[in-house]
Amino acid sequence: MVNENQTSNVPVWLRRYFSPGDAAKVEAAIKRVETATAGELVVALARRSSGVGHVAVLTGSCMALLAGEVAWMLNATTMVATGVAFLSFILGFLAGQLPFLQRFLTTRGDLEMQVFNAAAAEFLRARISHTSAATGVLIYVSFMEHRVVVLGDHAIASKVQQSDWDAIVSTIVAGLKSGKFADGLTDAVHKAGTMLSVNFPPVAENKNELHNDIRYLD
C-alpha cells in the first residue's frame, strides 16, 4: 500500500530510522533542487521488496527435523516426538520471519534482482516514465534487504555515468550505516539535484510534473 501526500504518516516500521520531521526535511530538499533543473525526483521507501516465504518454511522444516532426531535418540514415543517436531516447526517458522535470517538465507544475487525489479515496477507505478522530457529519477530504498536502487528515465540515462548513480547510492548507504539515514538521504537528493541541474537546466515553464512527497511502500 502506498501512502502519498501524508508527511506526518511515516509508517511505524520506518520510525526507527526516519521521523515526520525528517520526511519534511527531505521533501523540502526535493522541492528546492527541482527549482534548479528540468528533472523530476521521486523518493520511495519500501519496507521490503523480496518474496522470502521459503525462508520460514526452511527454518521450520530444519528445526522440526532436528527436534525429531533428538526425540528419536531419547527414545520418545511417537506421539511425543510428533508433538515436539510440530512445535519446533512453528518456532522455526516464526524465527524465519526475522529480517536478518531472511537476508542470510537468500542469495545476494536473488535479493538484488528482486529489489531492482521492485524499483522498476515502482518507477512505472509512480508514473516517473511519463514526464514530458523523460527526465524523471527514482531513489528507491528497500529496508529489509538493505539495498538502494537509483533509476533514471532514458533522457537522463543517456547523459549520466554509472559512477554518478553509485555516488548517490553510497551516500544513502553511508547514512544508514552511521545511524543518520535522513541526513544521508537529504545529501543524496542534493547530489541528484546537482547532477540534474548540470545536464538538464530549468526551462522557461518549469512545471512540477510529479509529487515531491515521499512514497511509503509497506
Side-chain angles (χ1 to χ4, degrees), residues 131-210:
T131 60
S132 58
T135 55
V137 173
L138 171 67
I139 295 177
Y140 181 94
V141 184
S142 194
F143 281 81
M144 191 283 282
E145 299 84 356
H146 294 177
R147 295 291 187 275
V148 180
V149 176
V150 183
L151 297 175
D153 211 345
H154 62 268
I156 291 176
S158 64
K159 292 188 177 182
V160 175
Q161 303 297 317
Q162 184 59 45
S163 58
D164 294 318
W165 299 133
D166 292 342
I168 294 172
V169 169
S170 296
T171 299
I172 297 172
V173 171
L176 273 169
K177 289 182 176 179
S178 66
K180 298 180 179 179
F181 171 66
D183 291 341
L185 184 56
T186 303
D187 289 345
V189 167
H190 287 142
K191 284 181 183 294
T194 299
M195 177 191 71
L196 289 171
S197 65
V198 170
N199 294 287
F200 301 93
V203 294
E205 195 172 341
N206 201 27
K207 293 182 179 179
N208 185 26
E209 298 182 68
L210 299 173

Side-chain angles (χ1 to χ4, degrees), residues 64 67-68 71-72 76-89:
W72 178 80
T77 65
T78 301
M79 182 177 293
V80 170
T82 301
V84 169
F86 178 74
L87 180 60
S88 297
F89 177 84

